[in-house]
Amino acid sequence: MPETTPRGLTRLAFGGDYNPEQWPESVWQEDVRLMREAGVSMVSVGIFSWALLEPARGEYDFGWLDRLLDLLHENGVRVDLGTPTVVPPVWFYREHPEALPVTADGTRYEFGSRGAICHSNPHYRAAAANITTKLAERYGDHPALAMWHVHNEYGVPVSACYCDSCAAHFRRWLADTYGTVEAVNEAWGTAFWGQHYTDLEQINPPRVTPTVGNPAQALDYKRFADATLRENFRTERDILHRLSPGVPVTTNFMTALSQCDSIDYWAWGREVDLVTNDHYLITDGRRTHVNLAMAADLTRSVAGGAPWLLLEHSTSGVNWQARNPAKAPGQMARNSLAHVARGSEGAMFFQWRQSRRGAEKFHSAMVPHGGTDTRVWREVVRLGADLGLLNEIRGTRTRADVAVLWDWHSWWAQELDWRPSEDHDARERADAFYEALYDRHLTVDFAHPEADLSAYPLVVVPALYLMTEAAGRNLKTYVENGGTLLVSYFSGIVDENDAIHEGAYPGALRDVLGLTVEEFSPLLKGETVRVTGPDGTELGADVWTEFVVPRGAETVWTYADGLTAGRPAVTRHRLGEGTAWYVSTRLGVEGLDTVLARAAEDARLAPRTDLPRDVEVVVRTGEPGTYLFALNHTTADTKVPLETPGTELLTGERAAGHLELPAGAVRVVRLDG
């Protein structure tokens, strides 16, 4: 079995992307001195260095990298060594311009950015395998090497190419997936609009058409593009496993729904030896610490609950959003330790030294333009020291309370054209349900719809438009065996080929929810409805309503106005030993909390009324012990109740009965026993 932890790393990972090729070698000695001062334990190297390592075809210059790795090793810094295949050199593109990707409308991108790759191109594949082989042969047993870092952020910025090479590759993929053209016609429903094919060679990628194309074809092309990226990753991974045995291989994910929508991370999580992730705060007016927690929970879930590693985040502001605010004092450490609380084995950054040139020169770094006499540097040094105090948590696992079901294939399908309302957004529903769970101080595992759910008292389905029959049976069994299920509207509608399940909506969920939906009734922009429920409770809703017909379910909330006035809005269905709830409209976070409170009662999840809003409590547990992380995202001091006394690791103080938690602070308690 491949190793799953960085080789030779005995501390939590702390450091960042190190790009010394941007600086004269005279700066390197200063860098390693500062790394020692900050407590850096690992850096990522060589990710964008192909043009320097192979300046011309078959000509190699490894001298600078030899000196760098030796220097880092001498100073006790481990290395996450990149294969630089995200940016082939310009000489490669001049020899093979067809390796540049083509958009659906026929535009071919040009060299000069990053990630401009047709992943079906055989010349790119051969060149990537070659440079990976050269690196593995030279550095596979280097004493500084902790792990391998393949490529960079697959799927960003280009996830799919539509050129002729991809067309041929797509046909091969269809043959492998379906076997015959008849099976493709059946899966895609090509009888509609006269799209019938008689030979696989007639099929092209879903390029621009006069109006909406075949949705099942578009969905399959997303699957094909994702699978093609994984093929290339596996090629590099297998070379590294063969030539550098015992060293784990990863690639940096971007699991946050706010950052990447083209990768099936359930599939990718099975391919890497260690799950790693990049996360950046999205300054869109939402509570950024909630998005962070959600991304960390999703990453841990992709890792199967095992420890993972935050490979990139920012010390302060980024540079690629419309507005890029600085982080508040203390926020960098709080962000970093929030990831650690939810399973990361450290906190890495992009990047070590802030660039003077290039597209990311305004992106913050561990060593800012202002040098060491800056707030950011002082906070970096403090964070390094704090992480050193937490080394004993390595290998422990985060304890979850509930599960949220998520499937990237469903998201892809729902985002295709001509759905009942463009205002219904799968990511928005996932964010809203997660935020409601977060505000109830529940730690979330994400799960695939066909996964074993028996460990969770409550399972939430915020947006699963696409659901297989197997997933529907899985949820029915879960409820029958005593689980509590909460499902949002427009779920269970189509199968894996984007075909409506036979019979009434909601297809795969009819039996478990005990109802049918006669018709969707989306609302116009700005239109709202009211729903009324127990004890006169009134909730506001927008975007979506439905004509729900109970078939065993009881009505709990009713539409008070609109076309569906008098019809069920929220229902509850007793099935076997469990309960299934259905919300047929879009409630805000407060409204979802009201419904969640009822579902949580069924699940016997006691409310945490003893914790203020935006005070986060998460537990990691394992052989070394049980550790309670408390994070205060507010501007007020507070106290966190402690059922078990313990020792606070960052201050060394004892805590019993309650934990003092200053404004903006993080505390980590090793609980007794």
Side-chain angles (χ1 to χ4, degrees):
M1 291 290 292
E3 290 294 323
T4 59
T5 57
R7 186 180 68 168
L9 189 64
T10 58
R11 297 174 284 164
L12 291 174
F14 179 59
D17 282 34
Y18 184 32
N19 299 294
E21 60 269 31
Q22 298 178 17
W23 307 92
E25 288 197 32
S26 59
V27 176
W28 298 6
Q29 293 291 339
E30 173 73 359
D31 281 332
V32 295
R33 184 187 69 78
L34 292 176
M35 287 178 190
R36 291 196 304 270
E37 180 180 336
V40 166
S41 59
M42 186 167 72
V43 293
S44 301
V45 171
I47 297 168
F48 300 105
S49 301
W50 193 346
L52 298 180
L53 294 169
E54 190 180 7
R57 176 178 295 283
E59 298 179 13
Y60 304 99
D61 180 6
F62 294 112
W64 68 272
L65 190 54
D66 291 346
R67 296 190 295 277
L68 177 67
L69 265 58
D70 290 347
L71 179 65
L72 292 168
H73 177 61
E74 291 164 5
N75 285 272
V77 179
R78 308 296 295 163
V79 171
D80 166 38
L81 184 56
T83 67
T85 51
V86 68
V87 183
V90 66
W91 61 257
F92 170 80
Y93 286 119
R94 294 303 176 253
E95 291 182 12
H96 300 290
E98 74 281 3
L100 289 162
V102 174
T103 63
D105 67 0
T107 300
R108 189 179 294 277
Y109 288 121
E110 183 47 274
F111 174 83
S113 180
R114 69 175 195 183
I117 298 165
C118 168
H119 280 269
S120 294
N121 184 271
H123 300 290
Y124 167 75
R125 291 183 166 209
N130 177 70
I131 191 64
T132 299
T133 299
K134 295 296 184 183
L135 285 166
E137 289 173 341
R138 192 172 189 92
Y139 302 111
D141 59 356
H142 193 284
L145 182 62
M147 64 183 192
W148 288 100
H149 180 310
V150 171
H151 205 266
N152 184 71
E153 296 177 347
Y154 279 100
V156 177
V158 177
S159 60
C161 172
Y162 297 81
C163 72
D164 289 342
S165 290
C166 289
H169 192 186
F170 183 43
R171 295 177 198 118
R172 294 193 298 272
W173 183 87
L174 291 172
D176 291 341
T177 302
Y178 292 104
T180 65
V181 69
E182 290 78 15
V184 173
N185 283 320
E186 175 63 23
W188 291 2
T190 57
F192 184 80
W193 276 3
Q195 297 170 356
H196 187 79
Y197 297 101
T198 58
D199 193 298
L200 291 176
E201 292 301 313
Q202 298 169 342
I203 299 176
N204 278 324
R207 296 166 175 154
V208 173
T209 51
T211 184
V212 174
N214 187 307
Q217 179 187 15
L219 176 58
D220 262 351
Y221 204 75
K222 289 177 180 290
R223 291 170 170 146
F224 157 75
D226 177 57
T228 301
L229 299 179
R230 276 202 310 281
E231 285 179 17
N232 286 355
F233 168 78
R234 281 195 296 266
T235 297
E236 293 190 43
R237 179 202 64 192
D238 292 349
I239 291 169
L240 297 170
H241 279 167
R242 176 170 53 85
L243 297 175
S244 184
V247 180
V249 180
T250 190
T251 185
N252 45 340
F253 295 168
M254 298 190 76
T255 62
L257 306 186
S258 54
Q259 291 176 230
C260 183
D261 62 359
S262 59
I263 298 295
D264 177 6
Y265 285 115
W266 293 127
W268 280 82
R270 296 189 292 269
E271 301 290 353
V272 297
D273 300 332
L274 167 68
V275 167
T276 62
N277 194 54
D278 298 350
H279 181 265
Y280 293 97
L281 302 183
I282 303 299
T283 54
D284 59 359
R286 308 185 198 204
R287 296 151 71 200
T288 57
H289 56 278
V290 180
N291 176 275
L292 185 157
M294 182 177 177
D297 284 344
L298 185 51
T299 306
R300 183 187 68 254
S301 302
V302 166
W308 55 280
L309 178 58
L310 175 67
L311 207 52
E312 286 185 28
H313 72 313
S314 66
T315 56
S316 192
V318 297
N319 70 303
W320 38 264
Q321 299 182 78
R323 298 163 188 83
N324 298 286
K327 290 186 177 180
Q331 186 180 2
M332 176 184 66
R334 195 166 63 251
N335 287 168
S336 299
L337 294 175
H339 285 288
V340 173
R342 295 176 185 270
S344 177
E345 296 282 82
M348 305 276 285
F349 293 91
F350 181 85
Q351 58 180 322
W352 164 252
R353 184 178 286 274
Q354 193 168 12
S355 301
R356 290 184 56 229
R357 298 175 175 85
E360 294 186 291
K361 57 183 171 287
F362 294 113
H363 191 296
S364 61
M366 299 175 76
V367 182
H369 289 145
T372 57
D373 189 19
T374 56
R375 172 179 69 89
V376 165
W377 173 253
R378 288 187 286 272
E379 291 193 20
V380 163
V381 174
R382 174 65 184 273
L383 176 59
D386 284 350
L387 286 171
L389 298 172
L390 300 180
N391 282 325
E392 64 184 80
I393 71 164
R394 294 171 69 230
T396 59
R397 295 190 172 211
T398 301
R399 182 189 299 163
D401 303 303
V402 301
V404 170
L405 301 193
W406 182 256
D407 180 22
W408 278 273
H409 292 228
S410 178
W411 191 16
W412 299 342
Q414 186 180 304
E415 293 302 300
L416 297 173
D417 292 324
W418 286 11
R419 299 310 187 230
S421 173
E422 66 177 17
D423 296 325
H424 172 46
D425 180 349
R427 178 201 157 190
E428 183 279 330
R429 281 294 80 188
D431 285 346
F433 273 86
Y434 184 91
E435 187 172 356
L437 292 164
Y438 180 95
D439 285 343
R440 298 188 70 80
H441 304 286
L442 295 169
T443 302
V444 171
D445 274 349
F446 286 83
H448 188 274
E450 296 180 16
D452 180 6
L453 304 171
S454 59
Y456 303 103
L458 174 65
V459 170
V460 176
V461 180
L464 279 179
Y465 160 75
L466 182 154
M467 183 177 287
T468 64
E469 293 284 358
R473 291 192 298 270
N474 188 42
L475 294 185
K476 184 170 183 286
T477 300
Y478 165 77
V479 173
E480 288 174 335
N481 290 338
T484 301
L485 179 68
L486 174 60
V487 177
S488 184
Y489 66 89
F490 206 46
S491 292
I493 306 303
V494 299
D495 66 12
E496 58 271 27
N497 296 314
D498 197 45
I500 301 293
H501 284 288
E502 190 172 347
Y505 308 134
L509 291 169
R510 279 193 306 265
D511 293 342
V512 68
L513 295 176
L515 55 82
T516 58
V517 173
E518 289 186 346
E519 191 176 3
F520 308 131
S521 184
L523 302 179
L524 299 179
K525 189 174 183 62
E527 192 176 2
T528 61
V529 296
R530 294 172 299 121
V531 298
T532 56
D535 304 321
T537 307
E538 184 173 288
L539 308 175
D542 63 3
V543 171
W544 193 276
T545 63
E546 294 179 344
F547 290 91
V548 175
V549 179
R551 301 190 186 278
E554 60 177 297
T555 300
V556 184
W557 273 271
T558 303
Y559 288 108
D561 47 25
L563 283 181
T564 54
R567 297 271 192 150
V570 179
T571 62
R572 177 177 180 267
H573 184 218
R574 293 287 302 176
L575 182 66
E577 300 298 317
T579 308
W581 289 78
Y582 184 60
V583 182
S584 68
T585 188
R586 192 176 85 162
L587 301 175
V589 173
E590 290 185 6
L592 289 177
D593 179 72
T594 302
V595 177
L596 267 171
R598 295 289 304 275
E601 288 178 11
D602 285 345
R604 298 179 178 84
L605 285 169
R608 290 295 305 267
T609 57
D610 53 356
L611 290 175
R613 188 174 191 253
D614 291 328
V615 171
E616 188 174 330
V617 174
V618 183
V619 173
R620 284 183 65 154
T621 187
E623 186 175 341
T626 298
Y627 302 86
L628 182 145
F629 285 72
L631 303 97
N632 188 349
H633 299 286
T634 78
T635 57
D637 297 347
T638 191
K639 296 179 180 181
V640 173
L642 285 181
E643 294 183 2
T644 304
T647 300
E648 205 288 307
L649 298 181
L650 300 179
T651 63
E653 297 175 355
R654 290 288 295 171
H658 68 270
L659 173 67
E660 299 284 347
L661 187 60
V666 180
R667 294 291 183 263
V668 184
V669 180
R670 184 204 308 117
L671 301 177
D672 294 346

